[in-house]
Amino acid sequence: TNQSWGKGTAKQKIGDFYAVAMDSVRIEKMGYKPIAPDLKKIDALQNKKDLIKYLAQEYVNGNGLIFNFGASVDAKKSEMYTAYLSQSGLGLPDVEYYTKDDSRSKDIREKYSSHVANMFKLIDVAPEVAAEYSKAIMNVEGKLAKASNTRLENRDPVKTYNKMTLDNLIKLSGSFDWKNYFELIGLPNLDFLVVSQPKFFSQLSSTMDEVSL
């Protein structure tokens, strides 16, 4: 980095960030150590309340997990912004990779499952345990995928516009503690929002009931 840049300046921070990102030797040497604190946070989760708190903290830090949430111009009232909630949570790029039974889709799922297991091996998880973790992840993602819209369905501006109150959302997807989640991300008085894919959030609720933490 350029040593003439004053400490704490934007140029110094950007230069240091770039230098760290380009230091491939150091990156390889450190392995997964930089994310070890994040993994400990996940290991420490004891119940659904902890999970909601963790997801909220990650959202505040810029990491949306399981679903997408944010503000956008209201599709039916362009002079205002509205909160939108939409499906996510899948590792493969398209819903149909999970739902189709042709040979290519099955091959993609098998390779993805192997990839997930390998990611666990890279953080020193035993191979047989990594395989079980991968199986569990495929189970959860499969459940969410079957309730997710396809790309074609997501092009329908009417069916993806479902404005509802927070109470409506809780009735749809009550096993996820939405009231607590929105309070934790700084929106304790959310009056209404648009849920783009209601069936996904209904399935999210069912999945939280069916699958252990």
Side-chain angles (χ1 to χ4, degrees):
T1 58
N2 190 328
Q3 299 301 313
S4 66
W5 292 336
K7 189 173 182 179
T9 63
K11 286 184 177 180
Q12 176 260 311
K13 291 177 181 178
I14 292 169
D16 286 356
F17 180 71
Y18 179 81
V20 168
M22 294 300 290
D23 190 351
S24 58
V25 174
R26 183 168 179 264
I27 289 169
E28 289 296 326
K29 186 177 180 180
M30 292 184 76
Y32 73 90
K33 287 180 183 177
I35 66 166
D38 297 291
L39 299 177
K40 285 183 179 179
K41 286 180 184 178
I42 294 170
D43 288 339
L45 301 179
Q46 297 294 314
N47 50 51
K48 289 181 186 178
K49 189 173 181 179
D50 286 348
L51 176 61
I52 300 296
K53 184 177 179 181
Y54 173 76
L55 294 174
Q57 289 173 338
E58 286 298 296
Y59 176 81
V60 171
N61 290 333
N63 301 317
L65 304 172
I66 302 180
F67 51 82
N68 295 318
F69 178 72
S72 185
V73 175
D74 193 299
K76 291 192 176 182
K77 200 172 183 181
S78 60
E79 68 269 23
M80 67 179 286
Y81 276 83
T82 297
Y84 276 80
L85 195 61
S86 60
Q87 68 187 34
S88 187
L90 305 180
L92 290 171
D94 190 81
V95 169
E96 293 184 341
Y97 286 127
Y98 295 89
T99 57
K100 285 187 173 181
D101 285 326
D102 60 282
S103 58
R104 182 173 180 270
S105 297
K106 288 179 180 178
D107 185 53
I108 288 171
R109 286 197 293 272
E110 288 176 7
K111 285 183 168 61
Y112 174 58
S113 182
S114 296
H115 167 72
V116 172
N118 286 334
M119 294 299 288
F120 282 109
K121 292 175 190 175
L122 289 172
I123 58 171
D124 298 331
V125 174
E128 61 275 12
V129 178
E132 286 300 310
Y133 286 176
S134 177
K135 185 178 178 181
I137 286 172
M138 290 299 292
N139 175 45
V140 171
E141 290 191 14
K143 287 177 182 291
L144 296 179
K146 287 174 182 176
S148 297
N149 280 10
T150 63
R151 291 184 183 184
L152 180 61
E153 289 172 325
N154 277 333
R155 294 191 192 114
D156 188 324
V158 176
K159 290 183 179 178
T160 54
Y161 188 92
N162 304 280
K163 186 173 280 190
M164 59 182 70
T165 63
L166 182 55
D167 286 341
N168 293 147
L169 176 60
I170 291 170
K171 288 177 183 177
L172 174 71
S173 184
S175 291
F176 190 100
D177 191 346
W178 292 106
K179 189 172 182 180
N180 186 31
Y181 178 82
F182 287 127
E183 286 176 351
L184 288 169
I185 68 171
L187 291 172
N189 301 309
L190 186 65
D191 295 323
F192 59 85
L193 71 167
V194 172
V195 179
S196 299
Q197 300 89 12
K199 63 180 179 178
F200 173 87
F201 291 96
S202 178
Q203 180 60 55
L204 172 61
S205 184
S206 300
T207 300
M208 291 192 73
D209 287 334
E210 296 166 1
V211 180
S212 71
L213 183 64

